[in-house]
Amino acid sequence: MDEAFLRRIPYKLEVPGPSQDEFHAILKAAALRGGLQASREIGDYIISDLTERRGMNLARYQAGFIVDQLVTSCRYMGIKPQF
């Protein structure tokens, strides 16, 4: 976001990224909402992919976004949603 955009937002809250344990908990909850189960290994893979392979910091929205995209993609392809 650029400075002009941020000036137009009257209230700003800094939301720090989750720890790895918090990310696992968020992923587990998001997966359950999507009818899935996320093992520790799946969470570790996603964390590794985001942080090491892509060089991103963990963010609280990522797990839900990933689950939503996975469920939507699987349904579009006519297959049962699964990791």
Side-chain angles (χ1 to χ4, degrees):
M1 293 179 253
D2 66 8
E3 290 182 28
F5 178 79
L6 289 173
R7 281 193 304 271
R8 292 183 189 96
I9 300 173
Y11 303 102
K12 300 167 192 74
L13 300 172
E14 182 176 357
V15 180
S19 68
Q20 289 190 9
D21 285 337
E22 290 171 327
F23 188 89
H24 279 285
I26 295 167
L27 178 63
K28 183 177 179 179
L32 286 175
R33 279 194 313 274
L36 304 167
Q37 288 188 342
S39 68
R40 186 82 183 181
E41 293 79 20
I42 289 169
D44 288 340
Y45 175 83
I46 293 171
I47 290 169
S48 174
D49 183 65
L50 290 172
T51 60
E52 294 171 23
R53 183 168 163 257
R54 299 174 191 270
M56 299 172 71
N57 294 322
L58 291 179
R60 296 181 187 276
Y61 75 89
Q62 292 164 325
F65 179 81
I66 290 167
V67 170
D68 288 346
Q69 292 297 306
L70 181 135
V71 169
T72 301
S73 296
C74 287
R75 288 188 179 147
Y76 175 78
M77 293 185 291
I79 61 175
K80 180 182 174 189
Q82 60 186 336
F83 281 101

